Amino acid sequence: MAGNKSTAESYADYKARMQKIADVKYAIAVLGWDQETYLPEKGAAFRGQQITTLSGIAHELFTSADLGTTLQALHQNNELSPVERKNVELSLEDFEKNNKYPAAFVAALSDATNECYHAWIKARKANDYQLFAPALSKMVELKREEASLLGFTGHPYNALLNEYEKGMTTGQLDTIFQEVKSSLSPLLAAIEKQPPVDKSFLHSHYDKNVQWSYGIELLKQMGYDMQAGRQDLSEHPFTTSFNPLDVRVTTRVDENDFGNMTWSCIHEGGHALYEQGLPTDQYGLPCGEATSLGIHESQSRLWENNVGRSLNFWQFRYPELQNTFPGNLRTVSLHDFYKAINKVQPSLIRTEADELTYHFHIMIRYEIEKGLMDGSIDVKELKDIWNKYYQEYLHVKVPDDVHGILQDIHWSHGSFGYFPTYSLGSFYAAQFFAAAQKQVPGLDESIATGDYQPLLNWLRTNIHPYGRFYTSNELCERVTGKPLEFSAFMEYANKKYSGIYGL
Amino acid sequence: MAGNKSTAESYADYKARMQKIADVKYAIAVLGWDQETYLPEKGAAFRGQQITTLSGIAHELFTSADLGTTLQALHQNNELSPVERKNVELSLEDFEKNNKYPAAFVAALSDATNECYHAWIKARKANDYQLFAPALSKMVELKREEASLLGFTGHPYNALLNEYEKGMTTGQLDTIFQEVKSSLSPLLAAIEKQPPVDKSFLHSHYDKNVQWSYGIELLKQMGYDMQAGRQDLSEHPFTTSFNPLDVRVTTRVDENDFGNMTWSCIHEGGHALYEQGLPTDQYGLPCGEATSLGIHESQSRLWENNVGRSLNFWQFRYPELQNTFPGNLRTVSLHDFYKAINKVQPSLIRTEADELTYHFHIMIRYEIEKGLMDGSIDVKELKDIWNKYYQEYLHVKVPDDVHGILQDIHWSHGSFGYFPTYSLGSFYAAQFFAAAQKQVPGLDESIATGDYQPLLNWLRTNIHPYGRFYTSNELCERVTGKPLEFSAFMEYANKKYSGIYGL
């Protein structure tokens, strides 16, 4: 029991502390958003310092002994509601995890990240992996140390996975990626035999301002609340949230690539709808936060792929799109458009991959990360392994390091365990979407008439309001009746791509 | 002495603490800038909470006993450089001042401000001063209490003036406003006898986008560094700084009022040039902060009025302006344009006043504030006094409260002592500009050829780099050889307006 404080008082104290931390963290997010959108170039150094200071303050607040005492006391308390109990449980878990990191380790990791990031930049410039390898080695060592500090059952990589996708294990991922290999490979092989799809018209000249307005229109159509958000330009599209009533997206507009803006908008829109759907009364508390990276990604992928690259969606939207860009699309049929936006083509760069070959990119990184963590792969041999895997799974020859092992920034940030969430997002999305199709009568028809409200309502009922109340696996089981399975994605892929490629 | 720490170590500790506070304060400024420019409307409440939290953190950091100890120790230290000594001295002064406020008083003031602000909003809507009076009474009581807490010599209003313009006294202001009455009134009377100036062409339709680009061009011409700043739109133009390398301005564009955007840009540009000229190596320390509100305003007014409404300035810029807005200005001569932008016309609303009658608006508020502080004026009779003063000094009849006593937001914020800095800004500006004209050979000629670098160099040498190293009075004396005197403004006004009105 919380000393002589009532349960309500103790919980209020806990909540106030958490909200104070959230205020600081969201302030950091505002500073970060501004950094990517409007910051004048000379302001960068001081801005970095300001963000570092606020991060330090947030960390101090979250590791304070007083918060620990409050959490411990509440954890013993039997009078909490289920949501309150879950919040306390998760906050205590986060708090204890934080305290597993000795200060020396945090400092070492921060130094290594800095070094590793700069080494990656340098190596990319020189197109030479060897300039990155020594710093990466140090990073891998520290990540292995982190796994031990955090503790794990089974594979050490589980400890890192847990940071991004709570409860996810190499066991579950091995099964999934085994199926990726065994079921997705034959589909890809069949597609490769078909005549290539023409998507050149997506790369004719599309006016910047018209693209911009079209993207905003797409966001509004999806149900993104423009009074609780906005879109801006940035080099890399992202979604950021300062609370569920201020969730912002950014996009990039490439005049020679219509798809770039369009599916960025829809993708970020999916992330943003999730954030706008989190419960405002849980601001600053775990139940007010996104479930996991995988679930977050499921929301963006569901809108981007299952909806935004579907025939139903464009059946309604395509005439309007043709009117918006008559010079580009007047002579292109819906059928050809639909094929073009779903063109499958093995390639070198993950971020440019289609929705099928994409998962081989992730699988390769997953295998490598796992091997680095259990010591079965050495940083020195990474480049060869990378190139061999790309040849084996995607049948492409890696011409150089920039188009190969140096393409992603994640490892230089020390983000090991992050990549799998991208694939998990697609797989959750397929499973969720299939469930929605079953549970919402006429869902496909509504999409085919430009009405996305039934889908959004379903997401707003089944996914968004729970925050971290359920883990990803619990949520998936609750919503779909089953744990995460690759089969939903495979069914979706088989049906869609058999149609497109006439298999 | 600072215990067993070296002077360098102690000073570094002090500096680190101050910079941490600055980081938090500047983060608040970023959140505030975003609030005025890009914040989606539903995000306002959480944003308010985030700003409150950060303000609390900044306050906590600045009132910490450790900082006090560090400051006390450094204050005894004889090994500091003059700038270091001044920083410590001012920080200690700020620290001690902060500690003069009991927590209960701070809470009462915060409540009263909130109440007063909402009462003002309500009263404005109802156009009824009586709805504002009770809350204003409470505010005045608290401000009188604040004056006692802070302590003062002479008039209690001096304590509040000191907050905005260190060292300024009712004695100095009484002398100045006496001269405003005795010297400015006859000039105004003479102007009123002349035929009215036509400025209707400034209110024809000016395209929004062209205005926007023209404003940006003006800022660049002035020397505003666009790599260390940017301009955005907001309802009320303002300048905000997150460090000297990120100083932002906002403007407002009214398609039916060309002057609105133009002199807003120049005015805010003047503020921004000052902030961009503060020493970056003094970030977070008093010598890295603006001298005072009056000096800040002197920089904006100097550019807005002494430069931006001068014949020299437009002699060069006007042909270009005519080309930019040919439909509006082709048939308007430079002479008529110059007269129009300097039209003198007594009016009801301070923010719309010309550069001469403006000071009567300030004088009226000054007289009222002084009377409220020493008890010679009662809040109940304020409306009558206001209306009487406007009749007496500006010869205008106040038709209602919205166009009279309820027009300004300042009192509702508890900002007593702030208004005089507006007039002080003009008077410092005139005195500085006259000094620059004497000290920089060919200054007027350079302005007449569109080269503002000599003026900016002079400001960057004589005003900007000192921060709070000198008080306003010290700075004024150092730069102009004399304390602040109204005569420089009067000389400037007599010369300029005699010319314009052919007196």
Side-chain angles (χ1 to χ4, degrees), chain B residues 139-256:
Chain B
M139 177 59 80
V140 167
E141 270 322 298
L142 284 166
K143 284 284 147 178
R144 291 175 66 169
E145 194 180 334
E146 188 175 357
S148 329
L149 286 168
L150 291 169
F152 55 87
T153 334
H155 199 282
Y157 191 51
N158 289 346
L160 304 182
L161 281 172
N162 200 52
E163 291 304 282
Y164 303 106
E165 198 68 17
K166 196 178 164 188
M168 186 54 57
T169 62
T170 52
Q172 210 176 343
L173 283 174
D174 285 343
T175 307
I176 286 174
F177 283 118
Q178 196 47 54
E179 288 188 73
V180 167
K181 278 189 269 188
S182 63
S183 346
L184 201 50
S185 296
L187 176 60
L188 284 177
I191 289 173
E192 263 187 86
K193 285 188 201 126
Q194 300 305 311
V197 163
D198 174 26
K199 62 168 193 172
S200 59
F201 55 84
L202 292 175
H203 295 276
S204 56
H205 183 269
Y206 288 78
D207 181 81
K208 239 177 186 161
N209 294 326
V210 183
Q211 278 201 59
W212 173 262
S213 307
Y214 185 72
I216 297 274
E217 193 48 38
L218 280 177
L219 287 169
K220 286 182 188 164
Q221 292 294 339
M222 287 167 69
Y224 175 67
D225 183 352
M226 281 283 177
Q227 295 185 316
R230 48 178 292 113
Q231 179 168 270
D232 295 271
L233 284 172
S234 69
E235 205 176 317
H236 300 283
F238 65 94
T239 300
T240 183
S241 168
F242 312 142
N243 67 69
L245 296 173
D246 187 358
V247 179
R248 305 188 187 182
V249 294
T250 71
T251 195
R252 161 172 61 191
V253 179
D254 180 343
E255 290 206 302
N256 299 311

Side-chain angles (χ1 to χ4, degrees), chain A residues 23 30 33-34 38-42 46-47 49-50 53 225 227 229-230 242-243 245-246 248 283, chain B residues 23 30 33-34 38-43 46-47 49-50 53 225 227 229-230 242-243 246 248 283:
Chain A
D23 287 340
V30 175
W33 169 83
D34 180 72
Y38 293 113
L39 184 74
E41 58 184 275
K42 290 186 185 169
F46 278 115
R47 174 58 52 85
Q49 177 182 321
Q50 290 156 356
T53 293
D225 183 352
Q227 294 185 315
R230 48 177 292 112
F242 312 142
N243 67 69
L245 297 173
D246 187 358
R248 305 189 187 180
Y283 174 85
Chain B
D23 287 339
V30 175
W33 169 84
D34 180 73
Y38 293 112
L39 184 76
E41 59 184 273
K42 290 185 185 169
F46 277 114
R47 174 57 53 85
Q49 178 181 320
Q50 289 156 357
T53 293
D225 183 352
Q227 295 185 316
R230 48 178 292 113
F242 312 142
N243 67 69
D246 187 358
R248 305 188 187 182
Y283 174 85

Side-chain angles (χ1 to χ4, degrees), chain A residues 274-292:
Chain A
Y274 183 18
E275 291 283 337
Q276 288 188 335
L278 290 169
T280 49
D281 66 336
Q282 297 294 312
Y283 174 85
L285 305 175
C287 289
E289 294 171 355
T291 310
S292 68

Side-chain angles (χ1 to χ4, degrees), chain B residues 348 386-388 390-391 396-405:
Chain B
L348 287 162
W386 180 285
N387 295 352
K388 189 172 72 85
Y390 265 80
Q391 183 66 54
V396 290
K397 196 172 151 49
V398 178
D400 58 19
D401 298 350
V402 166
H403 293 86
I405 190 162

Side-chain angles (χ1 to χ4, degrees), chain A residues 442-464:
Chain A
L443 183 73
D444 290 334
E445 290 72 20
S446 72
I447 290 173
T449 57
D451 178 9
Y452 316 120
Q453 201 58 48
L455 174 60
L456 184 54
N457 286 346
W458 185 85
L459 295 169
R460 286 274 153 90
T461 309
N462 293 283
I463 313 269
H464 300 177

